[in-house]
Amino acid sequence: MEADPVRLEEYDDAGLREWARRHGAECAALLGASVAGGAIYDPRAARRLMAGSADPAAASFATALAGLQPGRNRADVGPVAALWEAVPAAERAAWAVRYPGVIGSLTGADFASRVRANVLVAAGLLYVLEAELAAAESVAGPLPALPVGLGVRAVVRGAWDGWRWARKAGVRAVQVSRQIAGFREAVRRADVPIRLLYCSTARDGRFVALSGAVGPATRTVAVVVPGTLTYGNHMVMNLGRLDDVDGRSLEPSSAVGVYWQGCEFPRFITDNADRRFNQAAREKLAAFDAALDVECERAVEAARAAGEAGVAPVQTYIGHSYGASAIGSAEARAEGLTLDRMVYAGAPGTGFKVQVPADTVNAGAERYALVAPVDWKPWLGGTLYGGAMGGDPVREMGAELLETGFLDHERRQRRLLNHNDYLRGGSTAALNIRAVVLGHKPLPAVLRRPWPRGRMSDRKLRRRIDGLRLPR
């Protein structure tokens, strides 16, 4: 295949992915990355590379971006979008693959260009990570395999082996181990390619992934933000959860899903006492939302240009655990994330300095909450860290409490008890979330008493759910 980066714009998406898989070193060079001695990639190198381009238009564009931070400043997204749209379409296509380190993370650029750029970014970053891991393994030995089975002996042995390896390899090597599998999937997955809007090797890895494409036919957009203890290696699992709730299985032509893991996440429940996580997430989430709003506006304009009635897609944000508080922090009046519907799944709070709808820019939004009767984590998080996590979704934000029911909703079997199962496919909770996303009528909570007081037999709950015949 052609290995000249100047001609990459001629490849279709499949060809570009194949080239990237085979040319990790060239992709790293396109980012301005250095892997000498396992050096960590610095994103600013990509902008310097573009600013020094022999192409005057590209250099001028990079210079115009100086001082703008669209990735964390919502107000900068509009100016960046205007700069990008002023560039001729042919040059935008070329720049996406010639300067992927700039365009891939450029909040305000169109999503299609960012997806193509991040094909190369992910391959380049994987090349850097594998160089770092190889350097660590030369010192500490091979990365220990995950324990087989859930027995106490296997878990203890796996934890012991991991601790010994981490002690020899160092902190950065541990961070690499927590994300390299996610990058391998993003680069090498062939069945259903992962479409990235953003990826980064910072800390434990960061990804923003798009399912579907925002266009004139789009009617709903669902954005899922995960919870505490989310690493880069969790991306594929969480994309599966997105698939179970974003509505694309029922409405593939009009529904779009987004998985957002664009910042550092708390590693332990105790980390939620530190408001810095919400403070960082709210800026980046609000900036992403501004880019999503711009993309939706582009789709409406395209529909109207084709003589159709452009309709703005309904945006639903779904926050699992800490993710709900992160979204709430971003929709505060000072940040400005806009949404039409909000789903709090096992949420310990409504956001930093967000107690009531009037504290947000979405006072009239529809709000829904799911809390399994035996899930103590929302109660504990809200009790211990309410100052950092926010208020109660039901009592203070007026969210409608939805039923969590069973893991197998169709057969009404196996109660949903685990804090991590709200978005599990086929469950009552996931079907309820999907119903909210698509504007269908969800199943209200049958058992409204929270942990530790909520009790109801499976048989009685089945009868109550059967009588309501929802969700649908």
Side-chain angles (χ1 to χ4, degrees):
M1 296 185 70
E2 177 72 42
D4 179 3
V6 173
R7 310 309 305 171
L8 288 179
E9 60 265 31
E10 297 180 2
Y11 290 144
D12 62 11
D13 290 347
L16 187 66
R17 290 182 183 278
E18 181 61 26
W19 186 89
R21 289 189 194 104
R22 298 186 181 189
H23 297 88
E26 290 89 335
C27 291
L30 286 172
L31 307 181
S34 169
V35 294
I40 301 172
Y41 163 61
D42 180 359
R44 291 172 295 185
R47 188 169 292 187
R48 289 195 296 267
L49 194 68
M50 189 176 188
S53 171
D55 178 353
S60 176
F61 181 80
T63 301
L65 295 178
L68 295 174
Q69 293 184 305
R72 59 183 304 168
N73 188 348
R74 183 180 178 92
D76 286 345
V77 175
V80 168
L83 286 170
W84 181 248
E85 289 168 0
V87 177
E91 289 190 2
R92 291 201 299 264
W95 292 357
V97 293
R98 293 180 191 176
Y99 312 105
V102 176
I103 308 307
S105 60
L106 188 59
T107 312
D110 65 282
F111 283 5
S113 295
R114 291 178 64 181
V115 167
R116 279 181 62 84
N118 282 314
V119 169
L120 305 175
V121 173
L125 294 183
L126 176 60
Y127 183 83
V128 173
L129 288 175
E130 290 188 327
E132 290 188 271
L133 183 60
E137 289 183 330
S138 69
V139 174
L143 180 68
L146 292 174
V148 177
L150 297 177
V152 174
R153 178 177 294 181
V155 172
V156 170
R157 180 58 185 269
W160 172 249
D161 290 344
W163 179 83
R164 288 197 305 170
W165 187 86
R167 187 178 179 186
K168 293 179 181 179
V171 173
R172 177 56 191 168
V174 173
Q175 292 174 342
V176 170
S177 72
R178 288 172 172 161
Q179 59 183 298
I180 194 168
F183 275 94
R184 285 170 176 163
E185 284 286 335
V187 173
R188 299 170 183 170
R189 190 173 182 178
D191 53 348
V192 181
I194 295 174
R195 306 179 70 233
L196 296 176
L197 290 174
Y198 175 71
C199 57
S200 168
T201 57
R203 295 290 180 132
D204 298 315
R206 301 173 186 179
F207 293 101
V208 178
L210 179 68
S211 179
V214 178
T218 302
R219 295 294 175 267
T220 63
V221 179
V223 181
V224 169
V225 181
T228 299
L229 195 62
T230 296
Y231 301 152
N233 289 342
H234 296 143
M235 175 187 62
V236 174
M237 175 187 71
N238 286 329
L239 283 176
R241 293 174 174 176
L242 172 68
D243 289 342
D244 290 327
V245 299
D246 65 8
R248 286 183 50 74
S249 59
L250 295 181
E251 304 288 346
S253 62
S254 63
V256 171
V258 177
Y259 168 64
W260 195 91
Q261 184 201 335
C263 67
E264 179 187 4
F265 279 66
R267 290 184 180 176
F268 306 101
I269 191 170
T270 52
D271 288 341
N272 292 307
D274 189 341
R275 64 188 63 179
R276 72 180 179 87
F277 291 99
N278 271 342
Q279 289 175 318
R282 66 183 182 180
E283 295 176 344
K284 294 183 178 181
L285 254 176
F288 163 77
D289 176 71
L292 177 61
D293 291 345
V294 169
E295 191 73 3
C296 290
E297 290 169 5
R298 289 173 178 142
V300 171
E301 292 172 1
R304 291 172 179 169
E308 302 173 3
V311 178
V314 175
Q315 296 181 22
T316 303
Y317 276 74
I318 304 154
H320 173 239
S321 193
Y322 157 78
S325 183
I327 297 169
S329 301
E331 64 166 332
R333 299 180 70 85
E335 300 299 335
L337 180 148
T338 58
L339 53 81
D340 300 293
R341 299 169 184 149
M342 174 66 191
V343 178
Y344 306 88
T350 55
F352 179 62
K353 293 187 177 181
V354 172
Q355 301 288 336
V356 295
D359 293 334
T360 76
V361 295
N362 308 298
E366 298 176 24
R367 298 181 186 274
Y368 303 88
L370 299 103
V371 183
V374 295
D375 185 4
W376 52 268
K377 290 184 179 180
W379 171 82
L380 178 63
T383 300
L384 297 181
Y385 314 123
M389 305 299 285
D392 182 271
V394 176
R395 291 196 307 270
E396 295 173 278
M397 293 298 285
E400 179 183 350
L401 190 62
L402 302 182
E403 180 58 47
T404 56
F406 299 93
L407 291 174
D408 186 345
H409 178 77
E410 183 177 357
R411 294 181 176 85
R412 309 291 197 267
Q413 294 178 354
R414 295 180 294 154
R415 292 287 285 273
L416 190 152
L417 304 175
N418 193 315
H419 180 71
N420 293 323
D421 284 341
Y422 290 100
L423 278 69
R424 185 167 171 175
S427 68
T428 307
L431 292 172
N432 255 335
I433 295 171
R434 189 178 69 183
V436 170
V437 169
L438 296 178
H440 300 169
K441 188 172 180 59
L443 173 67
V446 172
L447 180 59
R448 304 185 66 86
R449 301 181 70 191
W451 184 92
R453 295 173 295 157
R455 291 183 179 86
M456 180 179 285
S457 69
D458 287 5
R459 182 179 179 182
K460 185 174 182 180
L461 181 60
R462 289 190 196 102
R463 289 202 306 266
R464 297 284 295 274
I465 291 177
D466 290 344
L468 293 172
R469 299 179 181 179
L470 297 169
R472 62 173 180 264

